[in-house]
Amino acid sequence: MPSDIFRVTATPAALDLLAEIVGDHGPVLFHQSGGCCDGSSPMCYPQDDFKLGENDVKLGEIGDMPVYISGSQFELWKHTQLIIDAVPGRGGMFSLDNGRERRFLTRSRVFTPEELAALDA
């Protein structure tokens, strides 16, 4: 796979917020939420406090921290690149961005046919 094609990336604003959270909590991971309460927010947890499911898929890393998604949700979104951003607001109730007046937000774009072929190779 070419090194410039990633399933997940982050904006500078997200990386700044992530660095702040890691400074306070140590290593974290993201799990792309598909739940009802926080919509499709990327949830940020201490690595030691979150148990991954056997069907979770690792999309990649942002700021050296892993990003996961459930297998069923991956099947629906595998044709898109997830772009983790940070915007004003409150984070998910159990996510480490809560209470910081900034929250993580997932944006996406559809991969080109060439990018999908490279990812599948």
Side-chain angles (χ1 to χ4, degrees):
M1 176 169 67
S3 62
D4 59 344
I5 301 173
F6 301 99
R7 290 198 175 275
V8 63
T9 64
T11 65
L15 293 174
D16 287 346
L17 179 55
L18 176 58
E20 179 183 310
I21 290 170
V22 169
D24 291 344
H25 297 279
V28 300
L29 65 78
F30 286 89
H31 196 279
Q32 179 58 48
S33 173
C36 65
C37 300
D38 292 309
S40 60
S41 297
M43 304 295 282
C44 182
Y45 303 104
Q47 284 186 17
D48 294 339
D49 287 353
F50 189 85
K51 184 166 173 65
L52 293 168
E54 64 183 38
N55 293 320
D56 286 336
V57 174
K58 183 178 179 184
L59 294 175
E61 295 183 354
I62 60 171
D64 296 325
M65 300 296 135
V67 179
Y68 296 90
I69 191 170
S70 71
S72 60
Q73 195 169 5
F74 175 75
E75 286 303 313
L76 297 172
W77 288 17
K78 65 184 175 185
H79 65 286
T80 62
Q81 180 181 58
L82 300 187
I83 304 155
I84 308 302
D85 197 0
V87 298
R90 293 190 177 208
M93 183 176 290
F94 301 107
S95 184
L96 293 175
D97 56 343
N98 192 13
R100 295 176 183 267
E101 302 310 319
R102 291 174 289 159
R103 68 180 185 94
F104 293 111
L105 173 77
T106 300
R107 302 180 190 282
S108 64
R109 72 169 186 86
V110 176
F111 285 119
T112 66
E114 295 80 17
E115 289 171 326
L116 278 174
L119 286 169
D120 290 338

